[in-house]
Amino acid sequence: MSLNHQQGPIKVDYVLQACRTIAAMLYLMAPAVGLSVGLSQSISASPQSRYRISSNITARNQTSSSEFLLLAFSTHQELLFPLFLTLYLAALLGNLMILIAVGSDPHLHTPMFVLLVNLSLADLCFTSTTVPRLLHALLTGDQTITHSACLSQVFFFLMAGNVDSYVLAAMAWDRYVAICRPLHYATVVTLPRCMVLLGAVWVGTALHSLLHTVLTAHLTFCSNRALPYFFCDLHPLIHLACSDTSLNYMMVIVEGGLVVIMPAVCIMASYIFIVAAVCKIRAPGGFQKAFSTCGSHLTVVLLFYGSVMGVYLQPPGQAEGQKRYQDLMATVMFSVVAPTLNPYIYSLQNREIKAALVKVLMGS
């Protein structure tokens, strides 16, 4: 039904102007990774295409041989757009708030807060890789994505997700030393050692992502190029390929499995030692003090890995429609909701962050 028919031409102009303003703000605020996929195209789109809700059949007919079709959220765009826009702006605000707070206070230039800054950078990359393209699709009804943009999403999504997991593992190691070896903390967890560790994490995850992106780029795809998600993920792309994918699956299982399992094992081992050390504390309030030390980190770990397992470790035998719905919800949780909540979880439970933010806001 045409908006022009119900609200009049004047109100339509106001709506179009608001849409152009929102799109322009996102283009300026978001990192280039996400918006280079095509958000700027929505600024100059015609009124008919801006409010068109294309069916999957129509979109498939319009998809060229070099494009993929993202099937998720193909209906109710007018409700989903403000929801994801709010989540994305909240993610930008929260993570930028962490970066500004730590950067403005020299007292926060310590290993723990340097790790927190890198977690915020990974979360910014995480959300900006997928959400701007989703907002573009919800705003224009265009669910297609080019082959090159799809591969770019694969690279940055893999890198940001793995940086997230390795930084969480490094933070678990930091909490382990602080609780189990407090007298050695200043000599074990040093800033130079932390910087070397983070440099290895970023370089290693970039090489890991590059490996799988290059292998995916060499695959050929048939006429079916429909992906069930709102972004390009590695596993659905390999599943769609017509060419031999044995090397891709082997690398995912061997190399990819090792990269994913290592930080999870480090986190579990750190908390096993932490729990064992806390159980030996007989002083009153010892458990509460230990939990306050690592409560924020534990919350973020459970939120991240819980939603990841909801996508990749589902039990077999589920109905296809139910599995696809659960995959989509879990994907939204770990790729959008978790990076949005992380900075607020840390800022609300950390006195130093709150004090630094107050100083920035008060201008002192």
Side-chain angles (χ1 to χ4, degrees):
M1 183 176 292
S2 174
L3 290 175
N4 222 359
H5 175 70
Q6 288 201 351
Q7 303 293 339
I10 296 179
K11 292 186 178 181
V12 171
D13 292 338
Y14 289 155
V15 174
L16 295 180
Q17 183 61 36
C19 291
R20 292 190 183 98
T21 303
I22 292 173
M25 289 174 60
L26 287 174
Y27 186 83
L28 293 174
M29 293 176 62
V33 172
L35 287 180
S36 61
V37 183
L39 184 60
S40 60
Q41 297 175 358
S42 64
I43 302 176
S44 59
S46 64
Q48 291 80 7
S49 62
R50 194 175 297 276
Y51 291 98
R52 184 181 68 249
I53 301 178
S54 301
S55 66
N56 290 342
I57 297 176
T58 304
R60 284 192 185 95
N61 292 335
Q62 293 175 350
T63 303
S64 69
S65 59
S66 62
E67 293 179 331
F68 293 94
L69 180 66
L70 304 176
L71 297 179
F73 304 123
S74 57
T75 59
H76 306 295
Q77 287 98 329
E78 67 281 358
L79 299 177
L80 293 172
F81 179 80
L83 173 63
F84 282 101
L85 176 62
T86 302
L87 287 172
Y88 183 56
L89 293 178
L92 288 178
L93 177 63
N95 287 291
L96 289 175
M97 183 172 61
I98 295 290
L99 298 180
I100 293 173
V102 176
S104 63
D105 191 344
H107 296 94
L108 299 183
H109 296 172
T110 60
M112 182 179 69
F113 291 105
V114 170
L115 292 172
L116 183 57
V117 164
N118 280 264
L119 183 66
S120 293
L121 290 174
D123 287 340
L124 283 173
C125 183
F126 217 6
T127 54
S128 296
T129 299
T130 58
V131 180
R133 182 60 187 81
L134 173 61
L135 292 174
H136 168 74
L138 294 174
L139 189 63
T140 65
D142 179 17
Q143 296 176 265
T144 59
I145 183 171
T146 63
H147 186 268
S148 59
C150 189
L151 291 177
S152 298
Q153 278 195 336
V154 170
F155 174 82
F156 287 105
F157 187 82
L158 287 176
M159 185 180 72
N162 283 292
V163 169
D164 245 355
S165 61
Y166 275 93
V167 171
L168 288 175
M171 296 173 83
W173 167 70
D174 174 85
R175 295 300 84 201
Y176 156 74
V177 178
I179 295 175
C180 299
R181 302 178 61 188
L183 299 179
H184 299 86
Y185 181 85
T187 57
V188 173
V189 185
T190 62
L191 191 57
R193 184 174 295 173
C194 185
M195 298 300 293
V196 171
L197 177 64
L198 289 170
V201 166
W202 282 96
V203 173
T205 54
L207 293 175
H208 161 77
S209 303
L210 183 62
L211 170 66
H212 290 282
T213 304
V214 170
L215 290 175
T216 306
H218 283 82
L219 297 176
T220 57
F221 298 90
C222 302
S223 58
N224 181 18
R225 287 171 168 258
L227 298 170
Y229 295 156
F230 59 93
F231 63 93
C232 291
D233 196 10
L234 182 63
H235 293 276
L237 283 172
I238 296 176
H239 183 71
L240 282 181
C242 297
S243 56
D244 181 25
T245 58
S246 57
L247 178 60
N248 298 74
Y249 278 116
M250 183 184 68
M251 295 306 297
V252 166
I253 294 173
V254 179
E255 191 270 346
L258 183 64
V259 169
V260 171
I261 291 174
M262 281 178 58
V265 170
C266 291
I267 292 173
M268 287 190 293
S270 297
Y271 275 101
I272 288 173
F273 285 111
I274 288 174
V275 171
V278 169
C279 291
K280 297 178 182 178
I281 298 177
R282 298 183 179 181
F287 179 80
Q288 289 80 0
K289 184 178 180 180
F291 180 78
S292 64
T293 303
C294 56
S296 300
H297 176 262
L298 186 59
T299 303
V300 172
V301 168
L302 293 176
L303 182 62
F304 179 78
Y305 277 99
S307 54
V308 168
M309 288 188 293
V311 176
Y312 299 107
L313 296 179
Q314 291 189 12
Q318 290 181 312
E320 184 65 25
Q322 180 185 4
K323 183 179 185 302
R324 181 170 298 181
Y325 175 78
Q326 292 179 356
D327 282 354
L328 184 58
M329 292 301 101
T331 302
V332 171
M333 284 297 297
F334 86 83
S335 64
V336 181
V337 177
T340 302
L341 294 180
N342 287 351
Y344 298 100
I345 293 173
Y346 275 102
S347 62
L348 291 176
Q349 298 190 25
N350 192 287
R351 296 179 181 178
E352 292 88 348
I353 292 290
K354 289 189 286 187
L357 287 174
V358 169
K359 289 182 181 180
V360 171
L361 295 176
M362 297 300 292
S364 60

